[in-house]
Amino acid sequence: CMNLVCNQCLGVNRVPSERLQDNPKCGKCQQSLLSGEVLEANEALFTKLTSRSELPVVVDFWASWCGPCKMMAPVFAKLATEMCGKAIFVKVNTESEQQLAARFAIRSIPTLKVFKQGKVVGDMAGALPESQLKGWISQYL
């Protein structure tokens, strides 16, 4: 079994690993636990996902005024769908979540970080084309 955090109610759910592809639902609110969509995270959701989810959490620290961030957004969303059940994809807006950006010393954007059990296991600054981004993320799965 593995812990998955509901992005709607922040409930922690235990899901058997072999059931990850069966679109598991939250035991509390019945929302899908693995939508394959990029989650827009505030501090509460970010903290719960990175500390309690047993799937790797891929985080894109971005801002609305950043050209490379906008170029990479559709690629990030496509990989979120492709890698559903293997990782959770999250975006953190560095403008509205300045404390998170400061906590992780985000100096350039986009910056990507991969979290496993609350710890940063990978990080990279700058936008990548799809094949390179997929390869970079895959090494942490």
Side-chain angles (χ1 to χ4, degrees):
C1 276
M2 112 174 352
N3 287 332
L4 292 178
V5 175
C6 176
N7 66 311
Q8 299 294 313
C9 72
L10 300 185
V12 178
N13 295 262
R14 303 232 358 108
V15 178
S17 300
E18 63 275 6
R19 303 276 327 271
L20 289 177
Q21 302 305 323
D22 297 342
N23 193 20
K25 299 207 177 324
C26 176
K28 267 185 170 169
C29 72
Q30 299 305 308
Q31 294 296 313
S32 178
L33 291 172
L34 298 169
S35 65
E37 294 183 15
V38 177
L39 306 175
E40 289 277 347
N42 60 17
E43 189 153 7
L45 178 58
F46 172 88
T47 301
K48 194 90 175 226
L49 282 172
T50 56
S51 66
R52 298 293 306 273
S53 178
E54 291 182 38
L55 282 178
V57 181
V58 183
V59 182
D60 174 15
F61 289 90
W62 70 287
S64 59
W65 49 262
C66 165
C69 298
K70 288 180 184 175
M71 286 177 11
M72 195 176 74
V75 171
F76 196 72
K78 183 175 184 228
L79 292 178
T81 302
E82 274 181 34
M83 298 176 142
C84 182
K86 296 181 180 134
I88 296 166
F89 285 69
V90 174
K91 289 178 89 67
V92 172
N93 184 330
T94 57
E95 298 293 298
S96 57
E97 298 299 328
Q98 293 180 4
Q99 293 198 329
L100 276 178
R103 180 168 24 147
F104 292 100
I106 305 301
R107 287 183 177 71
S108 66
I109 50 174
T111 290
L112 298 172
K113 293 189 181 287
V114 180
F115 292 81
K116 278 188 177 173
Q117 274 125 19
K119 295 185 176 42
V120 176
V121 294
D123 73 294
M124 176 197 64
L128 286 178
E130 183 180 340
S131 61
Q132 286 179 283
L133 182 58
K134 187 174 184 176
W136 182 78
I137 293 168
S138 294
Q139 68 186 320
Y140 301 105
L141 303 182

